[in-house]
Amino acid sequence: MQNFLLTLAYDGTNYCGFQVQPNGRSVAQTFQDGLEAVLGCRPDIKGCSRTDAGVHALGFMLNFHADTRIPPRKLPLALNQHLPPDIRVLDARIVPEDFHARYAAHTKTYLYRIRNHPIDSPFEAAYYTRVPRRLDEARMQQAAQGFVGTHDFLALCATGSSAAAHGDTVRTITACSVTRQGDEISIEVTADGYLYNMVRILAGTLCEVGAGRLAPESIPEILASRDRSRAGPTLPAKGLFLKSVDYDL
Amino acid sequence: MQNFLLTLAYDGTNYCGFQVQPNGRSVAQTFQDGLEAVLGCRPDIKGCSRTDAGVHALGFMLNFHADTRIPPRKLPLALNQHLPPDIRVLDARIVPEDFHARYAAHTKTYLYRIRNHPIDSPFEAAYYTRVPRRLDEARMQQAAQGFVGTHDFLALCATGSSAAAHGDTVRTITACSVTRQGDEISIEVTADGYLYNMVRILAGTLCEVGAGRLAPESIPEILASRDRSRAGPTLPAKGLFLKSVDYDL
């Protein structure tokens, strides 16, 4: 048996998330259908994270064990022929037998895309959240630095999550940046782990800063409050992309 | 009556082109339906060009005469509420009474997008042509300069076009550039006018150069031949965008 590590990009619009769910079509299930068509078996797959319904991925990582004579470099092409166009396998390689796409991850990087314009794009409306009023990206970038470090992120956690119930809400954000290119604002966050809806709430909080409704200096205070109601709104899933996962490989 | 000049962006995937056609749904008709809903009348509209079936636009210009108390700055929002999401009005302004979006155009700029990668993107497959084999963009950029200037472009004209039948095939390309950003190659062409399929054939010819099947120096010879069969293939419509129109305004 060999352990295959694959890189996927997918449009999450029509999926209930990565993980197999009782209701709705998941990316994992759809991927397994393709895998079964190519390998003739249906191995268990380990994803680097659960992504929520409607969240996209530029570099989702998963691994599975299988016996096949197909060389890794030929796997992407073979699998893509059996997957719908909204899921693409970008890369495949062999990793050590005990490698696990989730547990081996040092950090994961998410991207949140905002279109800061009064009018939607006819091309990309499924891939950003639109904020009509001008946001001040310099204020947002300043505020973003308040999230960097090891903190209790309970204030950025959707209420009712299991991590919150277990008091397991300390994470380390190693980088957080806000950049503008024309009408597009990109928020990038790298962390060792995330609470439920954490990036979407973090992005919503930065938008409050960008719109002038929160001070850039208010982030440490919001985190210290451990109070979800002090942070900004949860932005929609469609602007969120899992960008990359960092491993020692 | 006031003369309104509007800027539109649209996804051409589901349209038979801009111009009203006997068969198929055109952007013009769909736009007029929206205009009628907002103004209560159905003015004649003049587009800056006919775009072919499946061609997209980032900055399509059109004008029409109408009597309305809606100020131009409020027109985009009002119209967008009555248009499908694949057509967006970006801007509206009043222009002199005799201004005509097509005849007043000095130059028009088209963009042709190529994804130079063996695997499609799950997000943008409707907005580029994919070329799996590595293209040499420096060779393409060198060849592109051979198109700049006033030339007979019959070699880049789809056979059977009316311009060709009338011997009206001289045009002036003022700029032609090839740039790469990661896996995306952009070909931009600015000209005073275009023959039928000219940009798609020009892009196809540059891809032949990028793949090493034509020499970068061969462009003047191909143009001088006035022979369609000497140029490259006509690339698909879905990679083509009308980017902008240059007026004295």
Side-chain angles (χ1 to χ4, degrees):
Chain A
M1 296 278 269
Q2 284 181 304
N3 190 3
F4 288 90
L5 176 65
L6 269 63
T7 310
L8 269 67
Y10 58 80
D11 175 343
T13 309
N14 297 314
Y15 296 96
C16 64
F18 181 77
Q19 208 76 357
V20 177
Q21 301 270 349
N23 310 312
R25 197 167 158 248
S26 68
V27 175
Q29 256 169 309
T30 309
F31 175 78
Q32 279 180 310
D33 292 345
L35 207 53
E36 195 171 349
V38 171
L39 301 182
C41 63
R42 200 178 174 91
D44 197 33
I45 57 173
K46 289 105 183 173
C48 62
S49 77
R50 303 155 182 243
T51 58
D52 282 345
V55 172
H56 314 294
L58 300 170
F60 190 95
M61 307 301 286
L62 63 82
N63 74 293
F64 58 86
H65 291 79
D67 242 340
T68 171
R69 274 173 301 181
I70 304 173
R73 66 185 165 79
K74 293 208 171 162
L75 254 189
L77 193 65
L79 280 166
N80 286 333
Q81 283 170 340
H82 293 277
L83 289 170
D86 55 6
I87 303 178
R88 296 289 87 184
V89 178
L90 303 181
D91 187 53
R93 52 183 154 166
I94 307 279
V95 288
E97 211 202 330
D98 62 346
F99 183 92
H100 188 293
R102 185 167 166 202
Y103 302 135
H106 289 303
T107 59
K108 283 177 287 211
T109 299
Y110 279 92
L111 165 68
Y112 200 95
R113 293 181 73 204
I114 291 162
R115 178 168 162 91
N116 193 201
H117 193 278
I119 300 165
D120 267 312
S121 154
F123 310 107
E124 305 189 282
Y127 308 124
Y128 59 73
T129 289
R130 184 164 62 84
V131 177
R133 268 188 57 185
R134 179 85 186 180
L135 296 173
D136 181 338
E137 70 276 11
R139 277 173 68 94
M140 294 168 75
Q141 165 68 5
Q142 186 190 337
Q145 303 326 302
F147 292 121
V148 176
T150 302
H151 303 289
D152 183 336
F153 285 102
L154 185 60
L156 302 187
C157 182
T159 48
S161 92
S162 75
H166 293 88
D168 169 28
T169 52
V170 174
R171 298 289 184 278
T172 300
I173 291 184
T174 51
C176 188
S177 70
V178 180
T179 51
R180 176 189 284 275
Q181 269 210 309
D183 299 321
E184 186 179 327
I185 294 178
S186 298
I187 300 173
E188 267 197 38
V189 191
T190 302
D192 63 349
Y194 295 89
L195 306 178
Y196 191 52
N197 282 352
M198 180 166 150
V199 182
R200 292 161 58 183
I201 298 169
L202 181 151
T205 305
L206 290 179
C207 284
E208 292 296 294
V209 174
R213 289 186 290 266
L214 279 177
E217 302 80 15
S218 62
I219 303 303
E221 211 177 302
I222 290 169
L223 292 178
S225 76
R226 304 176 73 243
D227 177 357
R228 170 68 190 89
S229 74
R230 297 281 305 276
T234 308
L235 296 190
K238 67 176 191 153
L240 186 60
F241 294 74
L242 173 59
K243 192 181 174 191
S244 58
V245 184
D246 183 39
Y247 297 115
D248 281 334
L249 272 177
Chain B
M1 298 276 270
Q2 285 182 305
N3 190 2
F4 289 89
L5 176 66
L6 268 63
T7 309
L8 268 66
Y10 58 82
D11 175 343
T13 308
N14 297 314
Y15 297 96
C16 64
F18 181 77
Q19 208 76 357
V20 176
Q21 301 270 348
N23 310 312
R25 195 164 159 251
S26 68
V27 175
Q29 257 169 307
T30 309
F31 175 78
Q32 279 180 310
D33 293 345
L35 207 53
E36 194 170 350
V38 171
L39 301 181
C41 63
R42 199 177 176 90
D44 197 32
I45 58 174
K46 288 104 184 173
C48 62
S49 79
R50 302 156 183 243
T51 58
D52 283 345
V55 172
H56 314 294
L58 300 169
F60 190 95
M61 308 300 287
L62 63 82
N63 74 293
F64 58 85
H65 291 80
D67 242 340
T68 171
R69 273 174 302 181
I70 304 173
R73 68 186 164 79
K74 295 212 169 162
L75 253 188
L77 192 65
L79 280 166
N80 285 332
Q81 283 169 340
H82 294 277
L83 289 170
D86 56 5
I87 302 178
R88 296 289 87 183
V89 178
L90 304 181
D91 187 54
R93 53 184 154 164
I94 307 278
V95 288
E97 211 202 331
D98 61 347
F99 182 93
H100 187 293
R102 184 167 168 203
Y103 303 134
H106 289 303
T107 59
K108 282 178 287 213
T109 298
Y110 280 92
L111 165 68
Y112 199 94
R113 292 181 74 203
I114 292 163
R115 176 168 165 90
N116 193 200
H117 194 280
I119 300 164
D120 267 312
S121 154
F123 311 106
E124 305 188 285
Y127 308 125
Y128 59 73
T129 289
R130 183 163 61 84
V131 177
R133 270 189 53 185
R134 180 85 186 182
L135 296 173
D136 180 338
E137 69 275 13
R139 278 172 66 96
M140 294 168 75
Q141 165 68 6
Q142 186 192 337
Q145 303 326 302
F147 292 122
V148 177
T150 301
H151 303 289
D152 183 335
F153 285 101
L154 185 59
L156 302 187
C157 182
T159 48
S161 91
S162 75
H166 293 88
D168 170 30
T169 52
V170 173
R171 297 289 185 277
T172 299
I173 291 184
T174 52
C176 187
S177 70
V178 180
T179 52
R180 175 189 286 273
Q181 270 211 309
D183 299 321
E184 186 179 327
I185 293 179
S186 298
I187 300 173
E188 267 198 38
V189 191
T190 302
D192 62 349
Y194 294 88
L195 306 178
Y196 190 52
N197 282 353
M198 180 167 150
V199 181
R200 292 161 59 183
I201 298 169
L202 181 151
T205 306
L206 290 179
C207 284
E208 293 295 294
V209 173
R213 288 187 292 266
L214 278 177
E217 302 79 15
S218 63
I219 304 302
E221 212 177 302
I222 290 169
L223 292 179
S225 76
R226 302 177 74 243
D227 178 358
R228 171 68 191 89
S229 73
R230 298 282 305 274
T234 307
L235 296 191
K238 66 176 191 153
L240 185 60
F241 293 74
L242 173 59
K243 191 181 175 191
S244 59
V245 185
D246 183 39
Y247 298 115
D248 282 333
L249 269 175

